[in-house]
Amino acid sequence: MQIITDSQIAAFSDFLSRHSFFYVIGHKEPDGDCIYSCLGMAALLDAKKISYQLLNAGPFKRTEIRDKADLFTDVPTFLSEPERKKTGLLILDCSEMSRLGEIDGDLDGLDTFIVDHHKTASVTENCIIDSSSPATAVLVQQLYERMVGKPPKEVAEMLFFGLSTDTGYFRFLKEDSAEVFRAAARLVEAGANPRQIYDRMTGGKAYSTRKLLGIMLNRAERYYNNKLVITYETMEDTHKYGQEGRDSDALYSLLLACEEVEAVVFLRQETEHNCTAGFRSRDAIDVSAIAAKFGGGGHKNAAGGSMEGKIETLIPAICKEFAKVLN
């Protein structure tokens, strides 16, 4: 993980100084890193006595972030034209406006700064983007420490939670992660409780999610000498089992633990003509490149997106892309 440079800190500080109000927003269908990065940024703005509004299109499907939904809205505060000129847009854990989802207001044309860690990010100005960082929360932590100081316990817990969710509670880190653990240690020193945060991440799942997990495992099919596994969820499944408290992380973990498996794809039919997809892989396969073929993005070993089509047509199309790297 790279350390944020003095010039990046200066650029971000200058961006803050040019505005008197900010919208703080992350991607639609947020995960823990997205939400807690936004909350960490909000804490930084609070410390600087800067006004802001937290935005997110939702839905807040994940159990571990559900209690934070009331802190966000999908309806931006109305701004007059003079007010818009003094307003900045801070985008966290995302670099594409299209991934912000349906927001009931106009965000176009606002002066924007992006803090993100996804490999597929293509922005080069007004941003701090580091694909070597395991979570956006770690980038926000560095900004907070450099611009405010040691975070209070509440902020340390937020940032530790964001880091933990995107690293699978540190399971996805590699040998070059010493700096990440040093950052995590500083959060623990500031009051974050690793055991309590792990319990919040992994507990509280509805029984129906276990039933659905069994269906997904039973439906899984292997391709290309068992290297690729694909499974899916239909609209009927969603209607029967609901959308709350999903545990896709457990699904990916179980399937990637199988011998010979190098990549896993999970498709969910959201509407008659649209699916969401999750891609996970071991070290060698860059699933972000494959997700990008379908309008998605992410990291080398964890990516996703929303795509037009039905499960029965998307599976062959996805297989075709994997054939290029698995054969």
Side-chain angles (χ1 to χ4, degrees), residues 242-304:
Q243 299 187 39
E244 303 300 326
R246 295 313 182 86
D247 199 6
S248 55
D249 289 341
L251 176 67
Y252 297 129
S253 180
L254 287 167
L255 292 175
L256 282 173
C258 296
E259 60 180 352
E260 302 179 307
V261 174
E262 296 182 21
V264 173
V265 177
F266 169 58
L267 288 169
R268 179 186 297 129
Q269 192 78 50
E270 299 286 357
T271 69
E272 288 291 340
H273 306 289
N274 182 268
C275 286
T276 54
F279 300 78
R280 298 294 186 275
S281 68
R282 295 185 181 278
D283 290 344
I285 306 301
D286 184 355
V287 290
S288 70
I290 295 174
K293 298 284 187 179
F294 298 91
H299 313 289
K300 178 182 178 182
N301 302 124

Side-chain angles (χ1 to χ4, degrees), residues 197-215:
I197 290 171
Y198 179 80
D199 288 343
R200 282 173 54 203
M201 281 178 56
T202 59
K205 306 295 185 184
Y207 180 70
S208 61
T209 66
R210 309 297 94 175
K211 300 284 285 185
L212 182 59
L213 180 59
I215 292 172

Side-chain angles (χ1 to χ4, degrees), residues 88-114:
L89 180 65
L90 287 167
I91 300 179
L92 283 299
D93 202 38
C94 172
S95 60
E96 302 88 11
M97 293 290 290
S98 60
R99 290 199 65 212
L100 300 182
E102 297 296 324
I103 297 295
D104 189 15
D106 183 16
L107 302 180
D108 291 338
L110 293 175
D111 196 12
T112 301
F113 198 100
I114 294 170

Side-chain angles (χ1 to χ4, degrees), residues 37-318:
S37 293
C38 288
L39 292 175
M41 180 61 70
L44 187 156
L45 297 177
D46 280 332
K48 294 290 187 180
K49 302 187 185 307
I50 299 173
S51 299
Y52 61 89
Q53 183 183 32
L54 289 166
L55 300 176
N56 197 280
F60 285 68
K61 295 179 180 178
R62 296 172 179 261
T63 305
E64 65 269 21
I65 61 171
R66 193 183 303 153
D67 64 337
K68 303 303 180 187
D70 290 344
L71 299 176
F72 293 78
T73 179
D74 60 359
V75 183
T77 297
F78 175 77
L79 300 174
S80 65
E81 195 56 36
E83 289 172 329
R84 285 180 63 85
K85 293 179 180 179
K86 297 179 181 179
T87 297
L89 180 65
L90 287 167
I91 300 179
L92 283 299
D93 202 38
C94 172
S95 60
E96 302 88 11
M97 293 290 290
S98 60
R99 290 199 65 212
L100 300 182
E102 297 296 324
I103 297 295
D104 189 15
D106 183 16
L107 302 180
D108 291 338
L110 293 175
D111 196 12
T112 301
F113 198 100
I114 294 170
V115 182
D116 189 20
H117 74 128
H118 290 98
K119 182 180 179 181
T120 50
S122 58
V123 182
T124 57
E125 295 181 353
N126 277 0
C127 65
I128 296 174
I129 297 177
D130 177 14
S131 61
S132 73
S133 176
T136 300
V138 182
L139 301 175
V140 176
Q141 176 186 351
Q142 292 183 65
L143 288 171
Y144 192 100
E145 290 172 337
R146 294 281 297 277
M147 299 178 67
V148 180
K150 180 179 178 179
K153 179 180 179 181
E154 180 181 4
V155 177
E157 288 176 339
M158 293 176 184
L159 296 172
F160 193 97
F161 198 102
L163 168 61
S164 299
T165 54
D166 247 31
T167 61
Y169 209 77
F170 305 100
R171 288 180 295 123
F172 306 145
L173 296 178
K174 300 178 182 179
E175 68 277 1
D176 58 350
S177 302
E179 194 60 50
V180 180
F181 282 100
R182 280 191 279 269
R186 295 196 300 274
L187 296 176
V188 174
E189 289 173 348
N193 186 316
R195 180 173 179 175
Q196 289 180 359
I197 290 171
Y198 179 80
D199 288 343
R200 282 173 54 203
M201 281 178 56
T202 59
K205 306 295 185 184
Y207 180 70
S208 61
T209 66
R210 309 297 94 175
K211 300 284 285 185
L212 182 59
L213 180 59
I215 292 172
M216 301 298 101
L217 291 171
N218 187 56
R219 217 174 252 164
E221 294 289 346
R222 296 186 292 181
Y223 303 83
Y224 305 117
N225 296 320
N226 303 330
K227 294 178 181 180
L228 172 66
V229 177
I230 300 180
T231 189
Y232 60 89
E233 176 184 329
T234 66
M235 292 173 66
E236 290 76 17
D237 296 328
T238 305
H239 178 74
K240 182 175 181 179
Y241 294 103
Q243 299 187 39
E244 303 300 326
R246 295 313 182 86
D247 199 6
S248 55
D249 289 341
L251 176 67
Y252 297 129
S253 180
L254 287 167
L255 292 175
L256 282 173
C258 296
E259 60 180 352
E260 302 179 307
V261 174
E262 296 182 21
V264 173
V265 177
F266 169 58
L267 288 169
R268 179 186 297 129
Q269 192 78 50
E270 299 286 357
T271 69
E272 288 291 340
H273 306 289
N274 182 268
C275 286
T276 54
F279 300 78
R280 298 294 186 275
S281 68
R282 295 185 181 278
D283 290 344
I285 306 301
D286 184 355
V287 290
S288 70
I290 295 174
K293 298 284 187 179
F294 298 91
H299 313 289
K300 178 182 178 182
N301 302 124
S306 178
M307 55 194 68
E308 292 185 5
K310 295 187 177 183
I311 290 169
E312 56 266 30
T313 57
L314 284 171
I315 288 178
I318 290 170

